[in-house]
């Protein structure tokens, strides 16, 4: 399926398909955050989704859509962690065998979490090995269905269900239109799904992708109109947001909906993790805190605007969480 064939109908079908599996995550507000932003900020707490991230939505939609033959052969997925956790849990619920390919340097909490949910875990070196090549080899050998972390129509549509929820929740609080949605971005599956849903549910909202500084392939690709690649695949605390380049399906969707991208530093992300814990009472992993970091760091204009942001994941290594809480507050 091409990018232009994924629309609001697919997002609505996903919502119906996975409704019994997913959590309707809360939408949070905070007076201090609004004051800092000089505008209205709504935080969609997808870190409270099953398996601790938004990824469960897309994984559940893809697996629930498998036919009987595909279910019998199982699934294989590659992921830095959150997609692996989501595939493991969605497969467990559906009674489908799962193999997940994960970088050896992924947080142990994510590797062990996938194993505890019954998935077979295959580790690889993200600097020297190609996870997609490993996945294709497993498919050729054993015949499972490959479930990519972002470049799949069912995955993209599943991620869009979170935006539909969020818009309905914002409408319960205010009649003011949403001006922008800040979305943590790796390959763009979450941002693309949100762009599709928001175009229907909140057409005034512009999608802004947020990536770690030095790994802003989506921002650069949206600016240039071509697929830009990151020069390296490691070197940021945001393990969940490190990919070589945007997806072949996701980038055209984002471009067609007028999205643009920004980047934030690791230091800003550590500050956001601390703020989330102290002020919002949320545990966020680095990749899951990127959108909040953009607001706190002033990386995007929020004054006088209504901004929806995604807290996309909470599977943080305990030592890193401790370090974030001890981070000196910067002005």
């Amino acid at each position: 399926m091409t990018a232009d064939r994924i629309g609001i109908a697919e997002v609505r079908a996903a919502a119906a398909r996975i409704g019994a599996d997913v959590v309707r995550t809360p939408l949070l507000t905070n007076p201090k955050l609004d004051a800092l932003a000089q505008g209205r900020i709504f935080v969609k707490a997808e870190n409270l989704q099953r398996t601790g991230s938004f990824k469960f939505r897309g994984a559940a939609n893809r697996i629930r859509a498998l036919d009987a033959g595909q279910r019998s052969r199982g699934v294989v997925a590659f992921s830095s962690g959150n997609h692996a956790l989501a595939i493991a849990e969605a497969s467990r619920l559906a009674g489908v065998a799962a193999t997940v390919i994960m970088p050896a340097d992924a947080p142990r909490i994510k590797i062990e979490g996938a194993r505890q949910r019954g998935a077979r875990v295959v580790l690889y070196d993200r600097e020297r090995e190609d996870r997609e090549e490993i996945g294709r080899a497993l498919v050729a050998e054993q015949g499972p269905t490959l479930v990519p972390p972002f470049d799949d129509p069912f995955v993209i549509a599943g991620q869009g269900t979170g935006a539909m929820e969020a818009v309905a929740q914002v409408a319960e609080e205010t009649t003011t239109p949403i001006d922008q949605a800040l979305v943590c971005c790796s390959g763009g599956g979450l941002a693309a799904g949100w762009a599709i849903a928001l175009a229907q549910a909140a057409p005034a909202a512009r999608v802004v992708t947020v990536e770690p500084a030095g790994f802003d392939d989506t921002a650069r690709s949206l600016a240039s109109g071509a697929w830009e690649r990151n020069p390296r695949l490691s070197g940021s605390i945001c393990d969940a947001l490190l990919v070589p380049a945007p997806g072949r399906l996701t980038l055209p969707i984002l471009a067609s909906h007028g999205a643009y991208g920004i980047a934030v530093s690791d230091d800003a992300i550590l500050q956001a993790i601390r703020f989330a814990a102290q002020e919002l009472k949320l545990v966020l992993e680095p990749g899951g805190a990127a959108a909040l970091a953009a607001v706190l760091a002033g990386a995007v204009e929020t004054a006088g605007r209504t901004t929806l942001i995604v807290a996309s994941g909470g599977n943080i290594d305990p030592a890193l969480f401790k370090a974030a809480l001890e981070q000196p507050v910067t002005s």
Side-chain angles (χ1 to χ4, degrees):
M1 184 181 290
T2 58
D4 61 359
R5 296 283 300 277
I6 311 169
I8 192 63
E10 285 69 32
V11 177
R12 288 172 175 158
R17 188 178 291 120
I18 66 177
D21 292 330
V22 298
V23 173
R24 188 177 190 265
T25 55
L27 189 79
L28 306 179
T29 59
N30 178 269
K32 184 173 181 178
L33 183 57
D34 286 351
L36 289 169
Q38 299 181 51
R40 196 76 190 275
I41 307 295
F42 292 93
V43 182
K44 182 62 169 166
E46 282 291 277
N47 62 307
L48 301 179
Q49 186 54 257
R50 287 182 89 137
T51 70
S53 87
F54 75 94
K55 289 284 191 179
F56 181 75
R57 295 178 183 272
N61 191 43
R62 186 65 191 91
I63 288 169
R64 288 296 184 188
L66 294 173
D67 62 33
Q70 291 170 324
R71 289 169 60 91
S72 68
R73 293 188 295 274
V75 297
V76 62
F78 44 81
S79 166
S80 62
N82 284 333
H83 182 59
L85 289 172
I87 288 293
E89 179 69 0
S91 297
R92 183 187 69 79
L93 291 173
V96 173
T99 297
V100 293
I101 303 161
M102 304 178 70
D105 63 351
R108 301 309 301 179
I109 189 174
K110 295 181 179 179
I111 294 172
E112 293 307 316
R115 286 176 173 151
Q116 290 166 8
R117 289 172 171 85
R120 173 194 172 206
V121 177
V122 175
L123 299 178
Y124 75 99
D125 184 326
R126 75 164 87 219
E127 291 287 352
R128 296 181 176 85
E129 296 179 285
D130 185 335
R131 66 184 189 176
E132 296 188 28
E133 183 178 321
I134 297 170
R136 287 192 295 267
L138 287 173
V139 169
E141 292 168 8
Q142 303 168 17
T145 296
L146 180 64
V147 184
F150 48 83
D151 240 356
D152 179 276
F154 288 97
V155 170
I156 293 169
Q159 314 308 20
T161 63
M164 291 177 61
E165 280 184 14
V167 171
Q169 291 167 314
V170 170
E172 295 170 1
E173 300 290 332
T174 180
T175 58
T176 303
I178 300 167
D179 295 302
Q180 56 192 351
L182 274 56
V183 186
C184 309
C185 184
S186 56
L190 176 63
W194 273 58
I196 292 167
L198 291 173
Q200 175 71 29
R206 189 173 187 186
V207 172
V208 183
T209 64
V210 187
E211 299 167 287
F215 301 89
D216 56 344
D217 50 291
T218 295
R220 289 183 286 110
S221 297
L222 289 170
S224 71
W227 273 270
E228 305 287 347
R229 297 183 66 84
N230 288 321
R232 52 202 173 98
L233 296 178
S234 61
S236 169
I237 60 173
C238 298
D239 63 283
L241 303 186
L242 306 185
V243 296
R248 289 288 160 178
L249 291 179
T250 59
L251 185 62
I253 292 171
L254 290 168
S256 69
H257 287 88
Y260 74 96
I262 59 175
V264 290
S265 69
D266 279 5
D267 182 67
I269 287 168
L270 286 170
Q271 294 289 338
I273 293 170
R274 176 176 175 154
F275 182 94
Q278 294 183 340
E279 302 296 335
L280 304 178
K281 309 310 175 188
L282 293 179
V283 174
L284 298 183
E285 64 186 272
L292 176 61
V295 171
L296 295 174
V300 64
E301 182 60 61
T302 55
R305 299 184 181 184
T306 298
T307 301
L308 175 60
I309 69 175
V310 188
S312 58
N315 295 307
I316 187 170
D317 179 80
L320 181 57
F321 186 56
K322 180 176 182 292
L325 294 181
E326 294 173 347
Q327 184 84 348
V329 177
T330 58
S331 56

